Amino acid sequence: MILVLNAGSSSLKIEVFDEALRSVISGRVTNLGTTGELRLGDKTRAVEARDHAQALDMMLAALREAGYPLTAFAAAAHRIVHGGAVMTAPARLRPPVIATIESVIPLAPLHNPNNLAGVYALQKLAPDLPQYCSFGTAFHATNPEVATRYAIPQVHHDAGIRRYGFHGLSYANMVAEFGDTLPDHLLAFHLGNGASLCAIHKGKSIATSMGYSPLSGLTMGTRSGDIDGAAVLRMSKSLGEDETDRMLNKTSGLQALAGENNMKTLLERTDDAAKFAVEHFCYWAARHAGSAIVAMGGLDAVAFTGGIGENAGPVRDRIMELLACFGTVPVHVIVADEEKQIARDALALIAQGR
């Protein structure tokens, strides 16, 4: 069995998969640093975990009580948000790989340190257990340079300012779920509180809407999506850099347009602000989609995943209505499952003897 870990800023999520990629059990520890809860399967109890190490210790104890001791696992596998330009494929977490992940922390200062916290904690508790990782950026490593390069001086490009793209594990899982039926030109939408799209040509990412950070591209739950850099500079002069960053990531998007970032609630509302917010979300998804279709040279099918993509039929319908100019194509809904992709990657590396 494979133990998949996803260490967030204030939580630790786990899921166990067998060798056939069937989910065996899942759980999480919430509110690290204060009173939270530990949930494993259908059991929940209040806990206080000061950090990821203690949360993992509690979770492993709960797994052991449920009949899943550490000795039952062939390996552990982790989600790492950012692999930079170097880590472009899943890898075993040996010292050089860990050092590389540490070196790109400046590219994901809010995510990679938390992801690594889970790695460090498990190293101490189970030093002999092989650990693997999958990167949220790696799927987009196949984008051509013309798609990833900003038109900025070389010195800044060399410092890492380029398009990376995110939600890669979700898109990789989508490709795997299609299997032999994968269309040659697939327009893929990952729509949730964070939203992006990807042009997938013959199973490879050719272009994606997110860039240097997850802020760019589509209108999102609390992120603005694309915005002119000059506007950001002007707001930064007024608000300061930190507050501008917080505003663009935490209080923009649907939240700014309608005072709510829950798409289900917005679709139930009948006021003009809610209707406009939904239309803004769909319009910009479709508008960015036109760019993606050009990038991959055609359109054979569209696939939706993510909380909104899977559950908001009116949003899917409106986006497809806006894309009708490209002709009628099949529409697919794929369940988002990053954890399954992480387990799939680890099992593949184990099979290769790596």
Side-chain angles (χ1 to χ4, degrees):
M1 291 188 292
I2 302 294
L3 173 63
V4 174
L5 297 95
N6 185 349
S9 58
S10 61
S11 67
L12 176 72
K13 294 191 292 184
I14 68 97
E15 189 164 0
V16 175
F17 291 87
D18 65 16
E19 292 184 358
L21 285 176
R22 290 185 294 255
S23 178
V24 176
I25 194 169
S26 63
R28 67 175 63 194
V29 181
T30 63
N31 297 337
L32 272 59
T34 183
T35 302
E37 66 176 26
L38 187 155
R39 179 184 61 79
L40 182 63
D42 58 1
K43 295 182 179 179
T44 302
R45 61 184 175 88
V47 296
E48 288 190 13
R50 63 180 176 273
D51 54 23
H52 290 89
Q54 188 174 24
L56 180 59
D57 197 30
M58 291 175 174
M59 180 58 73
L60 291 177
L63 281 167
R64 185 169 58 251
E65 292 170 8
Y68 305 99
L70 267 176
T71 53
F73 302 119
H78 301 259
R79 173 179 177 258
I80 305 293
V81 167
H82 214 307
V86 179
M87 301 307 303
T88 58
R92 184 164 177 178
L93 280 160
R94 294 187 170 98
V97 171
I98 294 174
T100 301
I101 297 170
E102 291 171 339
S103 73
V104 298
I105 284 176
L107 296 176
L110 300 179
H111 296 93
N112 275 24
N114 295 315
N115 301 155
L116 284 166
V119 175
Y120 301 146
L122 194 56
Q123 278 182 327
K124 290 181 179 179
L125 292 169
D128 296 328
L129 183 68
Q131 295 195 65
Y132 296 86
C133 64
S134 298
F135 300 92
T137 51
F139 185 71
H140 305 298
T142 50
N143 282 196
E145 185 178 10
V146 71
T148 62
R149 176 69 191 259
Y150 290 118
I152 57 175
Q154 186 71 36
V155 63
H156 299 294
H157 176 75
D158 292 344
I161 307 299
R162 47 156 286 182
R163 293 183 178 92
Y164 293 98
F166 299 88
H167 291 148
L169 291 168
S170 181
Y171 293 125
N173 180 69
M174 179 184 286
V175 168
E177 291 296 312
F178 267 104
D180 294 338
T181 66
L182 180 71
D184 280 354
H185 303 85
L186 177 66
L187 174 63
F189 289 95
H190 178 107
L191 304 180
N193 194 50
S196 68
L197 60 75
C198 182
I200 301 176
H201 183 226
K202 295 185 177 180
K204 306 293 185 182
S205 174
I206 299 300
T208 188
S209 58
M210 286 179 169
Y212 173 73
S213 79
L215 177 63
S216 64
L218 283 59
T219 304
M220 305 180 216
T222 63
R223 296 186 187 124
S224 65
D226 277 356
I227 183 170
D228 191 318
V232 176
L233 290 172
R234 176 175 172 179
M235 290 186 291
S236 187
K237 287 181 180 179
S238 172
L239 301 174
E241 183 178 336
D242 290 345
E243 179 58 23
T244 301
D245 180 275
R246 190 193 72 81
M247 180 267 292
L248 291 172
N249 282 283
K250 302 294 185 183
T251 62
S252 295
L254 297 175
Q255 181 70 40
L257 295 174
E260 171 65 61
N261 66 316
N262 186 304
M263 181 59 76
K264 182 177 185 294
T265 302
L266 289 175
L267 288 170
E268 291 170 349
R269 283 169 48 180
T270 58
D271 57 284
D272 289 344
K275 292 178 180 177
F276 179 78
V278 173
E279 180 64 13
H280 199 279
F281 184 91
C282 296
Y283 170 87
W284 282 104
R287 186 161 163 179
H288 281 283
S291 171
I293 293 167
V294 169
M296 62 181 166
L299 178 65
D300 296 324
V302 177
F304 292 91
T305 192
I308 295 173
E310 295 168 35
N311 300 302
V315 170
R316 294 195 304 269
D317 292 344
R318 179 55 179 153
I319 291 173
M320 294 310 301
E321 182 181 345
L322 291 166
L323 293 177
C325 57
F326 294 101
T328 302
V329 297
V331 177
H332 306 268
V333 178
I334 308 293
V335 176
D337 198 339
E338 292 185 338
E339 288 76 18
K340 185 177 182 180
Q341 182 61 35
I342 295 166
R344 181 183 287 116
D345 290 341
L347 286 169
L349 289 173
I350 291 170
Q352 296 165 17
R354 294 165 64 184

